[in-house]
Amino acid sequence: MATKLLLAFAICRLILTVGLTLKPKELLHLGFDGQLSVDPADVDYASKDFGLLTRVEPLAVFHPSSSLDVARLVKAAYWSDQGFTVSARGHGHSINGQAQTPNGVVVQMSGNGIGPRPRVRAGDMYVDLWGGELWIDVLRSTLEYGLAPKSWTDYLHLSVGGTLSNAGISGQAFNHGPQISNVHELDVVTGKGELVTCSEEQNSELFHAVLGGLGQFGIITRARISLEPAPQRMRWIRVLYSNFSAFTRDQEYLISLNGSQKFDYVEGFVIVDEGLINNWRSSFFSPRNPVKISSLGSNNGGVLYCLEVTKNYYESTAASVDQEVEVLLKKLNFIPASVFTTDLPYVDFLDRVHKSELKLRSKGLWEVPHPWLNLFVPKSKIDDFNRGVFKGILGNKRTSGPILIYPMNKNKWDERSSAVMPDEEVFYLVAFLRSALDNGEESQSLEYLSNQNLQILRFCDDDGIKVKQYLPHYATQEEWREHLGSKWDRFHKMKAKYDPRHILASGQQIFTPTFLTSSNTASW
């Protein structure tokens, strides 16, 4: 009875705020098994995200228990008179309010007791997942069968629907492609409230539009993900470079290899100060014997580049790992004295960032603003980017977070998806994953880092480096049109077909909800 009363109160608030053609009694009879909440704690939680750069309070928060729950809510929004928006939220790891909405309901897809549990079909090598399932829980479920998804993100405490709405990338993407290249089937709730099953063979237009579609065409409530036999352990290796050309040449060589004689994970990052080099090393050895950049023979203005690779293996194949790794490393041109290596269980490597999270939380350094900037940079311009950004804008200034850089093969990405990438066969992810700290250091303040991001984008524009933002954020449709480029026309057409009232994912600021009048669209 209490739940029903709370639901009635939430619906009445929506009606008073935005207006509905449906009567409250009719909404109560929609058959929600989940909970529509206006509890201040729920609303506050949904109004924030990992970026802590934007705060927008929704009218209510919906905790669904099934795909049908989500469909009923969206259908009510679609048929409402004045309308209200619906934004799906997973683990809330967005940076610029992409999962927020000021005019409607946030659907909290992740959380205890929300949605069905993973269903592994070991014989068919796939797993069916609720859209709000976190990848760490996916891993735990599939490992019970000795299986695992092929492609990952570096941080596993993200939702399935969230990463598939972007792309889902990490050091395995060169080999297996992004996560969106490893999906067999989806259940999607469109902006009309229709629950549609889609795949390559069935409703393929919607299938490809939703993958990398930023939540614009539907809410992913189920995903069928491809699996492979899970390795038991990993050899984890890091080596350093002072020469950027040698570093990128080796990375590009490694992602060109085929068959079993290759590394299974290839990433890298930039080290711009002494503090980071020892933070980099501490994952492997005790920091009691600090490494000095000068001791590694760097004449690169205090900038070093780290190549990070892994080799998967089973206990039964452990004897051959040393030789396989040695053969691969012999072909690379890193600083000889800089090899650091360790062996660890497969799960520990995949979930390594969570361990860092726990340390940062204990110091109060996790829930701080994160002015992240993620860019796809064409291979032909990566040297110019190094010159202008790593050595120029950043120089050897202190930084407050990792700067990732690694290449990917475009032929592992499906051009039919909505994901946007540079028009070259090889392109780099460059990710500035920094935290803004209120510690008195100007170079770590939110204002400084935000301005530096703008400076980086301005340099790329002035230098003709046609970067594409990953996890993009733009304030105007004109900027979105430029970002999507040749995909804009299809993107616009799919929006009109599957979400004609622009109900979904309004926090992305791509389309204005049709029920908003010209007098109150200034924030869009």
Side-chain angles (χ1 to χ4, degrees):
M1 174 61 89
T3 299
K4 196 166 186 177
L5 287 173
L6 185 59
L7 176 60
F9 177 69
I11 291 169
C12 288
R13 183 171 182 235
L14 282 171
I15 292 170
L16 290 172
T17 307
V18 299
L20 296 171
T21 55
L22 293 173
K23 297 177 182 178
K25 187 175 180 180
E26 292 176 282
L27 275 176
L28 286 170
H29 290 156
L30 286 175
F32 291 136
D33 294 320
Q35 180 188 20
L36 189 64
S37 171
V38 291
D39 183 283
D42 275 349
V43 171
D44 180 67
Y45 182 73
S47 71
K48 297 179 290 188
D49 59 22
F50 184 67
L52 290 182
L53 306 175
T54 304
R55 179 182 173 86
V56 177
E57 286 194 0
L59 300 175
V61 179
F62 185 52
H63 302 272
S65 63
S66 66
S67 297
L68 289 176
D69 263 356
V70 178
R72 289 171 183 136
L73 176 73
V74 177
K75 184 169 289 187
Y78 178 68
W79 287 108
S80 64
D81 185 13
Q82 296 181 23
F84 61 93
T85 55
V86 178
S87 288
R89 184 183 192 275
H91 194 54
H93 211 73
S94 300
I95 305 301
N96 292 285
Q98 288 95 331
Q100 298 170 2
T101 178
N103 297 289
V105 180
V106 167
V107 182
Q108 184 59 53
M109 296 289 290
S110 301
N112 293 331
I114 296 179
R117 298 301 92 197
R119 298 185 301 277
V120 179
R121 292 288 296 270
D124 296 316
M125 301 294 281
Y126 69 73
V127 56
D128 279 321
L129 304 163
W130 170 248
E133 196 74 42
L134 301 186
W135 285 104
I136 181 62
D137 296 319
V138 176
L139 178 61
R140 290 167 180 157
S141 297
T142 59
L143 283 178
E144 293 178 10
Y145 298 83
L147 302 173
K150 299 174 181 178
S151 190
W152 295 99
T153 54
D154 284 326
Y155 180 58
L156 301 189
H157 294 251
L158 304 173
S159 69
V160 170
T163 64
L164 295 184
S165 294
N166 287 281
I169 57 174
S170 75
Q172 297 96 348
F174 81 93
N175 188 21
H176 295 293
Q179 290 181 320
I180 58 174
S181 293
N182 296 277
V183 181
H184 293 309
E185 188 176 272
L186 299 171
D187 281 349
V188 175
V189 174
T190 71
K192 298 178 181 180
E194 299 168 338
L195 179 57
V196 181
T197 298
C198 54
S199 65
E200 284 272 9
E201 296 77 26
Q202 181 181 8
N203 300 306
S204 61
E205 181 183 68
L206 179 62
F207 179 72
H208 293 298
V210 167
L211 294 172
L214 305 175
Q216 290 299 308
F217 316 112
I219 297 174
I220 297 171
T221 60
R222 179 184 64 91
R224 179 168 291 177
I225 305 295
S226 179
L227 301 177
E228 67 176 357
Q232 294 172 314
R233 296 185 64 80
M234 304 182 86
R235 174 70 54 83
W236 185 9
I237 304 152
R238 286 174 172 176
V239 296
L240 293 175
Y241 293 75
S242 59
N243 184 294
F244 185 73
S245 295
F247 169 68
T248 55
R249 187 166 53 247
D250 282 356
Q251 282 195 321
E252 290 164 18
Y253 163 72
L254 290 175
I255 71 166
S256 73
L257 299 177
N258 296 304
S260 60
Q261 300 304 308
K262 64 179 185 304
F263 286 118
D264 297 289
Y265 166 100
V266 176
E267 283 199 13
F269 52 94
V270 181
I271 299 172
V272 295
D273 63 64
E274 295 279 2
L276 271 183
I277 190 173
N278 289 295
N279 182 57
W280 157 84
R281 185 174 179 257
S282 65
S283 299
F284 291 81
F285 298 102
S286 168
R288 286 179 296 180
N289 300 310
V291 175
K292 296 289 186 182
I293 288 179
S294 57
S295 71
L296 295 172
S298 172
N299 56 1
N300 204 35
V303 179
L304 289 171
Y305 312 95
C306 170
L307 172 65
E308 183 175 41
V309 294
T310 70
K311 184 68 177 174
N312 300 342
Y313 66 94
Y314 299 91
E315 298 290 356
S316 60
T317 61
S320 64
V321 171
D322 289 342
Q323 182 179 357
E324 292 175 11
V325 168
E326 183 180 358
V327 169
L328 287 167
L329 290 181
K330 275 185 177 180
K331 298 180 180 180
L332 307 182
N333 295 289
F334 51 84
I335 299 171
S338 71
V339 181
F340 299 93
T341 181
T342 188
D343 285 67
L344 71 170
Y346 180 64
V347 177
D348 289 359
F349 174 78
L350 291 182
D351 200 31
R352 65 200 181 283
V353 177
H354 183 56
K355 294 181 180 179
S356 298
E357 174 191 345
L358 295 177
K359 292 179 182 178
L360 291 171
R361 282 189 182 278
S362 69
K363 299 176 182 178
L365 298 177
W366 182 258
E367 294 183 0
V368 298
H370 295 93
W372 286 8
L373 178 64
N374 296 272
L375 302 174
F376 288 154
V377 182
K379 169 188 170 181
S380 64
K381 292 290 187 177
I382 198 64
D383 284 335
D384 295 336
F385 192 93
N386 172 59
R387 169 184 52 79
V389 178
F390 299 147
K391 292 184 178 179
I393 294 173
L394 296 182
N396 59 359
K397 304 180 183 72
R398 276 200 72 185
T399 188
S400 56
I403 302 169
L404 304 184
I405 173 172
Y406 58 89
M408 288 173 279
N409 297 312
K410 189 174 183 179
N411 62 10
K412 300 293 185 178
W413 294 60
D414 194 326
E415 289 279 10
R416 295 171 295 178
S417 78
S418 295
V420 177
M421 67 217 80
D423 190 22
E424 291 191 10
E425 288 307 308
V426 173
F427 59 92
Y428 281 78
L429 170 76
V430 181
F432 300 89
L433 308 181
R434 296 167 311 169
S435 302
L437 306 177
D438 186 16
N439 59 4
E441 291 192 36
E442 181 189 7
S443 63
Q444 297 188 40
S445 69
L446 177 58
E447 181 181 9
Y448 183 92
L449 294 174
S450 298
N451 288 336
Q452 196 172 71
N453 287 343
L454 293 175
Q455 191 179 358
I456 292 168
L457 292 171
R458 195 176 305 117
F459 165 77
C460 291
D461 189 49
D462 292 344
D463 214 55
I465 303 176
K466 296 182 178 180
V467 299
K468 293 293 184 181
Q469 285 192 35
Y470 179 62
L471 311 177
H473 170 64
Y474 298 101
T476 68
Q477 193 174 90
E478 182 180 348
E479 291 173 309
W480 278 108
R481 188 190 298 265
E482 182 178 352
H483 168 73
L484 286 157
S486 62
K487 292 191 175 185
W488 169 255
D489 288 342
R490 188 185 67 168
F491 200 90
H492 190 272
K493 179 182 176 183
M494 294 299 97
K495 186 68 171 179
K497 182 173 182 177
Y498 294 108
D499 183 21
R501 297 197 70 188
H502 304 171
I503 289 168
L504 302 176
S506 59
Q508 295 279 1
Q509 301 187 53
I510 305 174
F511 300 97
T512 302
T514 59
F515 52 80
L516 290 180
T517 65
S518 59
S519 63
N520 61 2
T521 58
S523 63
W524 301 92

